[in-house]
Amino acid sequence: HASRVRGHPRARVGAARPPGRDGLIGRPLRAGARSRPWAAGAAGAAAGIGRSAAAEDIARAMVEGVAYRVARLWEVLHAAMPEVTTVVATGGHLLAHPWLIHLFADAIGRAVVMSGAGEGSARGAAIAALERVGIVPDIGVVRSPLGRVFHPRPEVHARLALGVERQRRLEEAVRPLVG
């Protein structure tokens, strides 16, 4: 867990190094993959760990690994729903760590907007329930408050795009070994 790395504040594990720079690649799965097409029983893995790699570097590789998976999910979503134009970051962890939202913007190569409403899934469930009982006539007209916009940095996006491809190759290599 990134917050257990000694000597680093929880919110900034490995943040001193630019994303995608150190050659480490992570497959950050502790509870299997929960998105298709990945296997539910898949296990985590890391590659590129050399003598100079510190715990902080490995933690950062795993965080970047999450960003790579977000980029891969964005590819699937964008192909299926090209009309989606706004990406909104919700949830307590993301909203508490804006640098992570910026990393995700860099990974997908498009702006990510911080939610001004906090926890999106709880809010969405509440709005859906209000529509169901007739208090909200049309869920489509309910607007969410939005916050800060994080724009991708082209040079970081380019490095992370290479990392996405390296993660694909790592996944192909370890699939026979760890699912």
Side-chain angles (χ1 to χ4, degrees), residues 38-117:
W38 298 298
I49 301 171
R51 289 173 34 162
S52 65
E56 296 85 3
D57 300 324
I58 297 166
R60 178 60 184 239
M62 289 299 176
V63 170
E64 288 177 7
V66 172
Y68 299 150
R69 293 181 81 76
V70 167
R72 293 172 68 188
L73 288 171
W74 172 252
E75 291 171 3
V76 172
L77 175 70
H78 188 63
M81 301 171 63
E83 70 278 6
V84 172
T85 58
T86 304
V87 178
V88 180
T90 68
H93 191 78
L94 272 180
L95 299 179
H97 304 292
W99 67 269
L100 191 53
I101 298 171
H102 205 173
L103 180 65
F104 289 175
D106 290 333
I108 68 173
R110 67 181 309 125
V112 176
V113 183
M114 181 183 271
S115 171

Side-chain angles (χ1 to χ4, degrees), residues 143-158:
R143 297 291 168 236
S144 295
L146 299 176
R148 182 175 165 194
V149 178
F150 294 85
H151 296 280
R153 299 163 287 190
E155 71 283 357
V156 177
H157 174 68

Side-chain angles (χ1 to χ4, degrees), residues 124-142:
I127 293 169
L130 291 172
E131 180 187 45
R132 178 81 173 153
V133 298
I135 295 172
V136 172
D138 178 9
I139 198 170
V141 300
V142 176

